[in-house]
Amino acid sequence: MFLKNFTVNNKTALVTGSGKGIGKACALALAEAGANVIILSRTEKDLLIVQDKIKKLKKKCSYYVCDVTNLKEIKKIFSEINKLDILVNNAGTNRPEYFTKIKRKDMSEVVDLNIKASFDIAQLATKVMLKTKNRKKIGGSIINISSQLGKVGAPLR
């Protein structure tokens, strides 16, 4: 178990970028802590692996194959979600290039995913969360994951 003293029994969590890496670990940790999990990624094969692991933990898990920068897709997904308590906004990317060589297209892709998509998803998640009865009493959580490179630079980062 990732989080021995942490429980989120009967909560519903959504994790973006959950097919691999940190997102996968977050989805599994939330399931181990008692949450039902909704996982999003661009790669169905990865989502099926994560879903299988979560179901072995006897938790519900649904998945959506999507590009989180596609607002139309994301709105459709959120229209199907009735309950949400936790959002882990994890999907993100980087283009490790020298500052003077970054192409505008690459910069736009990074901004669209790391900033715009995170904002859109947080806003849509909040709207779902606010519909929950007793929300003021039970609360809700939005966790935005980012890189330390926002604070400190690194070569080719």
Side-chain angles (χ1 to χ4, degrees):
M1 175 172 253
F2 290 108
L3 306 168
K4 292 179 183 171
N5 298 320
F6 180 75
T7 61
V8 285
N9 292 329
N10 303 314
K11 301 285 185 186
T12 300
L14 184 145
V15 183
T16 66
S18 51
K20 295 179 182 174
I22 294 170
K24 177 181 179 180
C26 289
L28 293 172
L30 286 161
E32 286 182 355
N36 295 311
V37 187
I38 303 165
I39 54 177
L40 279 64
S41 177
R42 292 178 297 171
T43 310
E44 186 172 31
K45 178 182 78 169
D46 295 336
L47 289 171
L48 289 170
I49 292 167
V50 176
Q51 182 186 48
D52 184 56
K53 289 181 179 195
I54 290 171
K55 286 188 173 184
K56 285 180 181 171
L57 297 169
K58 308 259 189 278
K59 301 313 298 175
K60 292 178 186 171
C61 180
S62 56
Y63 73 87
Y64 294 91
V65 177
C66 68
D67 175 354
V68 296
T69 64
N70 184 326
L71 186 55
K72 187 177 178 181
E73 270 186 67
I74 293 302
K75 282 183 175 181
K76 183 180 183 314
I77 290 166
F78 275 92
S79 73
E80 297 173 13
I81 298 171
N82 298 321
K83 180 181 188 266
L84 188 62
D85 302 290
I86 302 162
L87 166 66
V88 179
N89 230 341
N90 170 70
T93 193
N94 186 21
R95 299 291 192 276
E97 298 179 54
Y98 288 105
F99 179 73
T100 57
K101 299 191 187 238
I102 297 171
K103 295 175 184 70
R104 189 149 187 88
K105 177 183 173 281
D106 290 340
M107 163 76 154
S108 292
E109 288 174 4
V110 170
V111 168
D112 287 348
L113 178 56
N114 294 357
I115 299 171
K116 292 178 182 178
S118 292
F119 175 86
D120 291 336
I121 290 165
Q123 188 177 58
L124 291 165
T126 300
K127 289 177 181 180
V128 174
M129 289 178 182
L130 288 172
K131 292 178 185 175
T132 303
K133 186 178 179 183
N134 296 323
R135 179 53 66 190
K136 287 183 181 180
K137 185 177 177 182
I138 62 172
S141 298
I142 296 176
I143 301 158
N144 291 308
I145 296 182
S146 66
S147 167
Q148 70 178 3
L149 294 176
K151 293 223 177 234
V152 287
L156 293 178
R157 302 277 190 262

